[in-house]
Amino acid sequence: MNARPRPSRRLVRRVTVLASCLALLAAAVVTGVRALGNEPTVTLLANWTGEDEKHFRQSVIEPFERKYHIHVDYQGSNAESQVLGADVEAGTPPDVVVLTGPGELAEYARQKHLVPLEQLVDPDDFGPSWAMPLTDGHVYWFPLKADLKSIVWYPADVGEQQRRRAVHRPAEWCVGMGSGATSGWPGTDWIEDILLQRYGADLYEKWARGDLSWRSPQMREAWKAWGRLAGAGGDPELVRRALKTRYEEASQPVTAKPRGCTLEHQASFIRGRPAWQQADGRYAPSAQLIPGAAGTHPWEVSGDLVALLHATPEAKKLIRHLASGDAQRAWSDKESGFSVHTGVRPAPGGTGPDWRRSLALTLRDRREVHCFDASDAMPPAVRDAFAEATIEFLAHPDHLDTLLHSLDTLSATPDLTWLPSVCDRAP
């Protein structure tokens, strides 16, 4: 029997070229379909990048894509406010956005860039302090996750007496003011919390609504108290380190030998950082440690808030998905924050100190007073100027009068959008 003849090299090349052409043609067809809009797509802008973005995709986005066969074109940016502002100005905003600032969202709502959500989301799933109606009666956002502030973290082996002594030693505080385009916000958190713990929710809310002068005695004392805690006007090397350190790196000295710092005033998400995990971080309410605190224990809170800019069918489905108990539960399981959705119960306690459950319960406890982060609730221009002023004050505490006068002048600018309320009240 004769052997089967082998194909010539020329024929093999022809087949290879044909296969390559077919592959390119198939790719072109797919690209064309996408370009024609035949593949349902929704665009989403949020601030999660790196590992956080990976977890968000796995736990929240991919289940949505599998269920609805809708592609999510996700953009993560640490400068999302700047990205969104540029996109809106260019007329190409995303369909859905996740922002930390209700003040910024309120401004977009006033400019008619946001779509009301009452037909898509039940505000009662989150409570009035989280999905608050604006003066036009509409709800424009809801929280995907929330964080508890008014917290001081410390290593497990640091006792109460040691903590109380450390409060008055600036070198014992882990402070990092850096955060790229939003540098300075750790300082705003400090000043907000001191004001809240010393003078209560009513005065705090008055200030956050733009009705209390930055030069009031209470505000001035809050700034000075933070300056004393952070060492403003003291050791220049300590101040320089605080100004140059990024906030997410501030806790690293707690694991150094000898230990470089002992206390950190930071929100609940910081417990997920490697240094605090290694130090078996615990927390105390800041009301127990802030000098001059009134002892009423109100809580400052923050959240990642979802809003809708284009009411496409795909975007509406994504909004409903992000507001669902399943998505909120999946993301709170992956992230260091918490869901305040009424259908998502805190996980049952395990062995050892159950910090996650206690923080989650405090966030959801309607007997507690919760006040949203005041700078996040302010108009963006005021928020940004406040953050910049904390950096200037830490470096030059003698500039305080000038800084407060500038903030008062800016806050009096006409047509700024202030929220009607930032605090809930215990019944």
Side-chain angles (χ1 to χ4, degrees):
M1 182 181 294
N2 294 330
R4 184 184 298 244
R6 297 178 63 184
S8 68
R9 292 183 178 178
R10 181 176 296 176
L11 178 59
V12 170
R13 283 199 298 272
R14 287 177 179 173
V15 171
T16 301
V17 170
L18 179 60
S20 299
C21 290
L22 290 172
L24 290 172
L25 179 61
V29 169
V30 171
T31 303
V33 168
R34 289 179 176 174
L36 291 172
N38 292 332
E39 180 185 66
T41 299
V42 57
T43 54
L44 171 63
L45 171 66
N47 64 355
W48 297 298
T49 60
E51 284 298 308
D52 289 337
E53 177 181 340
K54 177 183 175 182
H55 294 157
F56 182 60
R57 287 182 179 276
Q58 291 175 343
S59 61
V60 179
I61 292 179
E62 290 176 7
F64 171 81
E65 291 178 323
R66 288 194 297 269
K67 180 176 181 179
Y68 294 103
H69 305 288
I70 295 172
H71 172 65
V72 178
D73 184 2
Y74 175 82
Q75 181 181 6
S77 173
N78 292 324
E80 59 175 339
S81 291
Q82 291 76 14
V83 171
L84 180 61
D87 288 348
V88 169
E89 186 174 350
T92 58
D95 299 321
V96 178
V97 67
V98 184
L99 288 176
T100 58
E104 188 171 358
L105 291 173
E107 179 63 19
Y108 282 121
R110 184 180 70 83
Q111 297 170 1
K112 306 301 183 184
H113 290 299
L114 300 187
V115 179
L117 298 179
E118 300 93 281
Q119 303 303 314
L120 302 172
V121 176
D122 185 353
D124 290 339
D125 285 344
F126 302 98
S129 61
W130 296 102
M132 64 180 73
L134 295 183
T135 53
D136 64 2
H138 292 299
V139 172
Y140 291 96
W141 60 79
F142 63 91
L144 181 56
K145 81 170 183 70
D147 282 292
L148 192 68
K149 296 193 170 185
S150 302
I151 290 172
V152 174
W153 293 95
Y154 60 91
D157 61 358
V158 174
E160 181 179 355
Q161 292 303 316
Q162 187 178 351
R163 296 198 299 274
R164 293 190 179 280
R165 289 193 297 269
V167 165
H168 302 285
R169 300 170 180 167
E172 296 280 1
W173 288 100
C174 310
V175 181
M177 297 286 283
S179 186
T182 58
S183 292
W185 67 258
T188 69
D189 277 6
W190 256 120
I191 294 166
E192 291 159 4
D193 200 21
I194 291 172
L195 188 77
L196 179 62
Q197 303 307 329
R198 282 189 167 189
Y199 303 108
D202 290 340
L203 185 131
Y204 176 95
E205 185 165 55
K206 183 178 180 181
W207 168 58
R209 292 198 310 257
D211 294 332
L212 178 71
S213 169
W214 290 84
R215 289 173 287 178
S216 67
Q218 299 92 336
M219 278 303 310
R220 190 181 299 275
E221 283 305 310
W223 282 76
K224 289 181 176 180
W226 175 59
R228 289 190 292 270
L229 291 170
D235 182 353
E237 176 57 27
L238 186 67
V239 172
R240 186 194 68 82
R241 186 165 63 247
L243 293 174
K244 292 179 68 68
T245 300
R246 290 186 61 85
Y247 81 92
E248 63 264 47
E249 299 169 357
S251 56
Q252 291 178 358
V254 300
T255 60
K257 294 183 180 180
R259 183 174 283 150
C261 58
T262 304
L263 306 174
E264 184 170 16
H265 179 269
Q266 194 52 271
S268 50
F269 73 85
I270 205 70
R271 181 55 174 77
R273 299 291 174 184
W276 283 117
Q277 290 183 336
Q278 185 178 339
D280 190 14
R282 311 294 174 86
Y283 74 90
S286 59
Q288 296 178 4
L289 295 172
I290 287 177
T296 54
H297 288 241
W299 297 94
E300 187 178 7
V301 299
S302 64
D304 291 300
L305 308 174
V306 182
L308 177 64
L309 290 93
H310 292 140
T312 66
E314 295 78 19
K316 290 179 180 180
K317 284 185 171 67
L318 181 59
I319 287 289
R320 290 191 179 100
H321 173 71
L322 296 177
S324 70
D326 288 343
Q328 299 247 332
R329 186 179 301 106
W331 185 220
S332 62
D333 286 344
K334 285 281 187 182
E335 232 273 340
S336 296
F338 306 94
S339 171
V340 291
H341 192 290
T342 57
V344 179
R345 306 309 306 170
T351 58
D354 190 5
W355 63 272
R356 283 185 63 89
R357 181 171 174 80
S358 61
L359 290 171
L361 290 172
T362 301
L363 266 172
R364 301 163 65 91
D365 191 342
R366 299 204 175 185
R367 296 169 297 179
E368 301 281 0
V369 176
H370 304 100
C371 293
F372 210 94
D373 182 301
S375 56
D376 285 346
M378 291 175 179
V382 180
R383 173 201 63 194
D384 295 344
F386 182 17
E388 292 171 5
T390 64
I391 295 174
E392 177 72 13
F393 171 71
L394 191 56
H396 303 286
D398 56 319
H399 293 182
L400 180 59
D401 287 344
T402 300
L403 293 170
L404 296 180
H405 181 270
S406 296
L407 288 167
D408 257 343
T409 301
L410 178 60
S411 298
T413 302
D415 298 326
L416 291 179
T417 304
W418 297 87
L419 293 183
S421 175
V422 299
C423 297
D424 60 16
R425 297 294 192 277

